[in-house]
Amino acid sequence: MASIGKIARRSFLIGSAAIVGGVAFGAYSVSRPAPNPLTAGKGEAALNPFVLIDQQGVTLYAPRAEMGQGVKTSWAALIAEELDVDLDQVRVLHGPAAKAYYNSAFMTDALPGKGYDRGEISHAIGNALGHLGKVLNLHGTGGSTSMKDGFVRLRAAGASARETLKQAAAERLGVARSQLRTAQGAVIAPDGTKIAYADLAEAAAQLEPIEAELRPSSQWRLIGKSQHRVDMVSKATGTATFGIDVRLPGMKFAALRMNPAQGGGMSGFDATDALKMPGVERVVDMGSGIAVVASNTWLAMQAAEAVQIDWQAAPYPPETDQIFARIAEAFDDAPNSVMRDDGDADQLPPGATELAAEYQVPYLAHATMEPMNATALLEDGKLTVWCGNQMPGFTQMKCAAEAGLDAEQVDLHTTYLGGGFGRRVEFDYAVYATRLAKAMPGVPVQLTWSREEDLRHDMYRPGALARMRGAVKDGQAVLLDGKVAAASPVAQAMDRVAGLPAAGPDKVHVEGFFNTPYAIPNHRMAGHLSDVEVPVGFWRSVGNSFNAFFVESFVDEMAHAAQRDPLDFRLEMARREWEPAAAVLEAVREMSGWDSPSPAGTGRGVALCYSFGTPVAQVIEVAQQDGSIRMTRAWIAADLGRVIDPDNTRAQMFGAMAYGLSAACFGEITFADGAAEQGNFPDYDALRMHTMPAVQVQLLENQPRMGGAGEPGTPPAAPALANALFDLTGIRARRLPLMHDFDLLV
């Protein structure tokens, strides 16, 4: 198996880098190429940062974390498509932390503008800026970017490999490369002679790499077709290794107990009772809390609860109402951004009917099924860390700083993630494990958070407020003026990662707020940043997750004030603004039978959100059943421009909507005495199988560029459900979760 080492190699615009014993094929365009992290072992035919060929076949080193979204399968399909191998011939491993695996789409998505209005020049600038991801060490998974980042890079790597291997075969056989073809991991001569890739790799390493053209879509075998997941068997049989499954010789197990008032310190602790428990080895001071090391995880958790600790107060207001009062104060300050300011939103058009509303959404936890965990071993001046994570480069850097080492002295092994949703963009759990490894050099220590520690020490989706004002005239929206206030995940994350202040307008704060694809003549949307210090971070779909609720709930109110059908009202505005947005509305209209009368005792709601390059429309149907309200059916239409794997993409949309509906119905983190009151799933509930509606998903490919898949299904869920509840009950939901105002089936 190839080893991981920071060894600089030659690189090319679309080319390859020679590696000892074989050949490495790459696809990265940078003026100063990133080091290739792979080296080959004896008898192996190696490949670049992405592909390695040995006697077992083709191995893809995937730079994006597999957290249930199917990225291993889709990236493997991109390589296999051009390399002429079947998917079951590709073994997929997580790549190491390395600049070569930078995410080129992170910077592109951060460009100013609505996104859907981006022209060819802006798109080209975004592609060029994408390579800054290498300089900034943006090796990460998030923002629904994996396919946007990999669609060309991985195919180019496969195509270069294929043609260079063919050239090696051509020289061996004494024929022209054009006479050869490839299939099933072999080069095939006109007379039927087959030479396996593994037998050609060493010779190919001596050749100049061939910059091959990508195959047209008419020749695709895998892209655009549903594939069996490459990790299906291991996950179904329980043999897949998640962070919590790591086992090493001599391992010790640890549990964490930190100040429940986040940001507050610890004045002292008494571990006498915990240390008397058989199997407990030590209690470690973690700064603002303690960790107990023991012979097993359950014992460590029980012992942690036995430690007497004197906690200090949190730096933010202690009660929920006080926190939201602080958030509301942000409206009194100048806005951080006004990214949409069309027409004159200050003046009410003559003859128009004005309306206004205020909305509130709570803090939310990520609630990943696998709680935070990491395993660390510090030995002989080298730190090794095993954990599921979304940002290997940052995690490696922070663990190195904790251990007093250079990043090159830290090996980070990314395991499967039992859910990420943005929580594993953070690195606190890995740093804590490193702190324990420092205290116990030579001993591997696995730190596992209890569910209570996990929920109460999250970087939450921020609580947010919106003040909306609008006007309608002659059945049309003529004015929309919105203000949103919340703390900034970007600002806090920049401080946690680099100790740097955020500067300029915060686009993430107002995404899904200013760039809803509706044409309204007087349209202004402002973002106000709160300085409340409750820890916040990136939660699935980030700002879109609350802004879509604000905008689409208020647009629904405007439609009813205009005495218009809510879907028709949206459709007219979308047609004038951006046709792909109108197309997804048309699709859910047809799928749901929107124009047919609803059965008695049912209600339907619609919502639209453009996020991460993808417009998504949803219709949700609710019904009165046995004294409760349940969701019966749901329809989703999404336009991703290009669909790599239809079944996987449908699953992404389904899962993202379920995540959004769970939060809309039951999700909230509230505070008392500075601590989160929710500690486990009984008080932070989710949809169950019997409460989930039947879902139909339609995928469109009308827009010119590829959009994301992992997050865009979340934002429309809450407003579509809230609007359906209004249709059923006549009660308008202006706060979440909905369980406070409606008798929902649980």
Side-chain angles (χ1 to χ4, degrees):
M1 173 83 44
S3 63
I4 308 298
K6 285 191 170 288
I7 301 176
R9 305 291 179 187
R10 296 177 297 143
S11 71
F12 307 85
L13 178 64
I14 297 178
S16 68
I19 291 182
V20 177
V23 61
F25 298 95
Y28 35 89
S29 172
V30 287
S31 58
R32 296 173 62 86
N36 188 339
L38 303 183
T39 58
K42 183 178 179 180
E44 293 178 335
L47 297 103
N48 89 299
F50 298 115
V51 186
L52 177 139
I53 298 175
D54 61 13
Q55 296 305 308
Q56 297 182 59
V58 176
T59 298
L60 165 65
Y61 283 87
R64 304 294 162 252
E66 177 60 72
M67 49 189 175
Q69 81 279 39
V71 69
K72 277 191 170 184
T73 303
S74 297
W75 275 63
L78 296 177
I79 285 286
E81 187 69 79
E82 294 286 349
L83 197 50
D84 279 333
V85 295
D86 292 334
L87 206 58
D88 60 7
Q89 293 178 277
V90 181
R91 179 179 44 177
V92 187
L93 302 175
H94 279 123
K99 287 187 176 182
Y101 298 128
Y102 71 94
N103 189 324
S104 65
F106 275 157
M107 296 299 295
T108 304
D109 286 354
L111 286 175
K114 302 182 186 75
Y116 60 81
D117 60 348
R118 188 171 296 159
E120 289 302 320
I121 293 178
S122 178
H123 183 64
I125 292 172
N127 284 340
L129 288 176
H131 298 295
L132 288 174
K134 175 186 72 67
V135 179
L136 298 174
N137 202 20
L138 294 180
H139 174 190
T141 306
S144 301
T145 57
S146 292
M147 290 303 104
K148 288 186 284 186
D149 168 55
F151 184 59
V152 173
R153 292 172 79 189
L154 267 290
R155 288 188 297 140
S160 178
R162 181 192 70 236
E163 294 304 310
T164 308
L165 289 163
K166 284 170 62 179
Q167 183 62 36
E171 295 184 7
R172 178 181 297 187
L173 297 172
V175 300
R177 175 163 54 91
S178 60
Q179 295 181 270
L180 303 176
R181 63 187 178 90
T182 52
Q184 298 290 310
V187 178
I188 304 173
D191 64 0
T193 299
K194 293 183 179 181
I195 307 177
Y197 287 166
D199 295 333
L200 292 166
E202 188 169 356
Q206 311 306 313
L207 303 176
E208 283 296 313
I210 295 173
E211 299 177 11
E213 292 186 2
L214 301 180
R215 285 174 170 161
S217 58
S218 60
Q219 296 180 16
W220 288 347
R221 303 170 296 114
L222 303 173
I223 298 174
K225 299 179 176 62
S226 299
Q227 308 297 332
H228 292 298
R229 294 275 292 266
V230 298
D231 55 4
M232 183 183 299
V233 172
S234 63
K235 288 183 176 179
T237 58
T239 57
T241 300
F242 293 79
I244 209 166
D245 297 321
V246 171
R247 292 293 181 270
L248 299 168
M251 177 182 283
K252 301 299 181 181
F253 301 87
L256 194 71
R257 187 173 165 213
M258 304 298 282
N259 191 335
Q262 292 204 67
M266 177 179 66
S267 299
F269 68 91
D270 181 354
T272 303
D273 292 340
L275 291 170
K276 292 178 181 178
M277 300 171 70
V280 172
E281 300 200 4
R282 63 188 303 175
V283 177
V284 180
D285 186 339
M286 303 294 281
S288 57
I290 57 94
V292 174
V293 180
S295 57
N296 64 72
T297 298
W298 179 245
L299 173 60
M301 289 180 177
Q302 297 304 300
E305 290 301 314
V307 178
Q308 302 299 312
I309 306 176
D310 183 11
W311 300 122
Q312 297 174 359
Y316 47 83
E319 307 297 324
T320 302
D321 290 347
Q322 295 171 332
I323 290 171
F324 276 93
R326 173 77 67 82
I327 295 171
E329 291 175 3
F331 288 126
D332 299 331
D333 299 328
N336 166 264
S337 70
V338 183
M339 291 192 179
R340 191 163 195 158
D341 194 2
D342 304 333
D344 185 356
D346 288 321
Q347 297 297 319
L348 182 67
T353 300
E354 187 175 19
L355 63 158
E358 294 192 10
Y359 300 88
Q360 177 174 323
V361 298
Y363 287 86
L364 293 175
H366 294 82
T368 61
M369 288 304 294
E370 179 190 17
M372 297 299 104
N373 68 87
T375 300
L377 170 63
L378 182 61
E379 190 173 39
D380 300 327
K382 176 183 177 182
L383 175 68
T384 308
V385 179
W386 295 261
C387 65
N389 70 88
Q390 292 178 243
M391 298 295 290
F394 289 166
T395 303
Q396 180 191 49
M397 176 182 69
K398 288 295 183 177
C399 290
E402 175 66 28
L405 302 173
D406 294 332
E408 288 77 11
Q409 295 172 280
V410 178
D411 280 347
L412 177 66
H413 298 275
T414 299
T415 63
Y416 282 113
L417 284 68
F421 314 124
R423 177 61 179 94
R424 285 183 165 94
V425 166
E426 307 289 344
F427 41 77
D428 50 336
Y429 51 95
V431 170
Y432 287 146
T434 299
R435 194 168 299 170
L436 287 174
K438 269 199 317 182
M440 303 180 67
V443 178
V445 183
Q446 182 175 90
L447 174 64
T448 303
W449 298 32
S450 68
R451 179 61 63 192
E452 289 74 15
E453 286 295 314
D454 195 30
L455 278 179
R456 290 174 178 150
H457 296 89
D458 204 341
M459 281 71 168
Y460 300 113
R461 198 285 302 273
L465 300 169
R467 294 176 179 174
M468 309 295 290
R469 169 177 161 263
V472 295
K473 180 180 178 181
D474 299 328
Q476 303 288 324
V478 294
L479 184 149
L480 179 58
D481 185 15
K483 300 178 181 180
V484 59
S488 169
V490 171
Q492 288 201 18
M494 286 184 64
D495 182 62
R496 287 192 290 267
V497 171
L500 296 174
D506 188 334
K507 183 179 178 182
V508 172
H509 174 64
V510 292
E511 58 188 4
F513 198 66
F514 81 97
N515 59 343
T516 301
Y518 292 145
I520 301 173
N522 305 291
H523 195 173
R524 178 174 63 196
M525 306 299 274
H528 296 257
L529 296 182
S530 168
D531 62 356
V532 68
E533 294 183 58
V534 175
V536 297
F538 303 110
W539 189 91
R540 193 174 191 172
S541 77
V542 205
N544 299 284
S545 68
F546 50 81
N547 286 323
F549 174 70
F550 299 150
V551 172
E552 285 297 280
S553 295
F554 191 66
V555 165
D556 218 65
E557 295 200 42
M558 293 175 69
H560 284 277
Q563 299 182 344
R564 293 289 308 281
D565 175 87
L567 200 154
D568 285 340
F569 186 73
R570 290 171 169 82
L571 192 53
E572 288 183 9
M573 294 188 292
R575 281 179 180 145
R576 295 195 301 268
E577 184 73 7
W578 191 47
E579 185 54 39
V584 294
L585 285 167
E586 288 277 20
V588 292
R589 179 182 191 165
E590 181 178 350
M591 293 162 64
S592 65
W594 180 273
D595 294 328
S596 302
S598 298
T602 64
R604 288 180 179 175
V606 62
L608 167 72
C609 184
Y610 168 83
S611 64
F612 306 97
T614 300
V616 178
Q618 295 180 8
V619 169
I620 293 178
E621 180 183 81
V622 296
Q624 293 278 4
Q625 289 189 6
D626 300 324
S628 295
I629 300 172
R630 71 164 296 159
M631 291 175 284
T632 52
R633 294 185 292 175
W635 299 266
I636 307 172
D639 186 347
L640 291 89
R642 171 74 67 188
V643 176
I644 305 299
D645 186 315
D647 279 354
N648 189 52
T649 305
R650 280 188 282 267
Q652 287 280 73
M653 290 295 157
F654 179 102
M657 186 187 74
Y659 196 72
L661 289 176
S662 290
C665 291
F666 310 116
E668 67 175 342
I669 294 293
T670 56
F671 298 88
D673 296 326
E677 294 183 287
Q678 291 73 26
N680 212 315
F681 288 118
D683 48 22
Y684 194 85
D685 212 346
L687 292 185
R688 312 301 175 91
M689 292 181 69
H690 70 281
T691 57
M692 185 69 191
V695 181
Q696 182 181 349
V697 181
Q698 183 174 340
L699 303 175
L700 287 70
E701 296 180 292
N702 293 327
Q703 63 163 320
R705 285 183 279 275
M706 184 181 294
E711 295 167 278
T714 296
L721 176 56
N723 295 336
L725 291 169
F726 174 79
D727 188 45
L728 176 67
T729 68
I731 300 171
R732 180 63 69 181
R734 290 180 176 163
R735 64 170 180 166
L736 298 177
L738 297 165
M739 65 179 180
H740 292 312
D741 297 309
F742 300 91
D743 186 4
L744 303 175
L745 179 68
V746 293

